[in-house]
Amino acid sequence: MGPKEFFFNGHNYFFSGHLPAFRTAKYDWLDARNACREYCMDLVSIETQEENNLIFKLIQQNDIPYIWTSGRLCDFKGCENRRDLEPKNIFGWFWSATRVKMAPTTQIPQGWGYNAWSQSGHKKVPQPDNAEFDINGTNESCVSVLNNVYKDGIAWHDVACYHEKPFVCEDSEELLTYVASTNPGIRL
């Protein structure tokens, strides 16, 4: 369906900056997610260390300053009074594209050799730090991979969702299955 820049573990991916239609485009988190969905894709969900290494390598080799991922904080209606999500900055993060809960932000995820969250940021403390809330009252509810913005290498950061960034899209099993089931014989 969509552009296929690289393939990993059964999924196609593309970086928005490598497509003519999006070459210079930067979108807020929701618009980036919707742009991916036009192609039966969603923002990238970085669920394994191998996938993280792939994304970090893409960013490093192409000198990309930052990208959006599908990472999201469960801080909206339906997430309140959930003791399993408290404290939110540690236990409240998930991949919106796959609805998979992220490992606690203070721990190395199972099967990983490192924690991808930055150890620094605007407040010079480990991420997520919700730093923008102190500046203008906006929550940092979306996950971006930043490239050495805080002299911290390539790492995950919580960022306010209204910021505009390029993005990486990944095949969405859910959307591909839906399109296939409602369009018999279609080649995806």
Side-chain angles (χ1 to χ4, degrees), residues 133-151:
F133 187 80
D134 297 341
I135 299 166
N136 64 19
T138 304
N139 282 320
E140 294 187 336
S141 301
C142 292
V143 178
S144 178
V145 180
L146 305 185
N147 185 353
N148 210 30
V149 171
Y150 295 97
K151 309 280 183 264

Side-chain angles (χ1 to χ4, degrees), residues 132-173:
E132 195 164 331
F133 187 80
D134 297 341
I135 299 166
N136 64 19
T138 304
N139 282 320
E140 294 187 336
S141 301
C142 292
V143 178
S144 178
V145 180
L146 305 185
N147 185 353
N148 210 30
V149 171
Y150 295 97
K151 309 280 183 264
D152 58 346
I154 300 172
W156 297 4
H157 285 260
D158 58 329
V159 174
C161 305
Y162 74 86
H163 288 275
E164 296 185 335
K165 302 186 180 315
F167 49 93
V168 171
C169 297
E170 172 184 3
D171 280 345
S172 165
E173 297 292 336

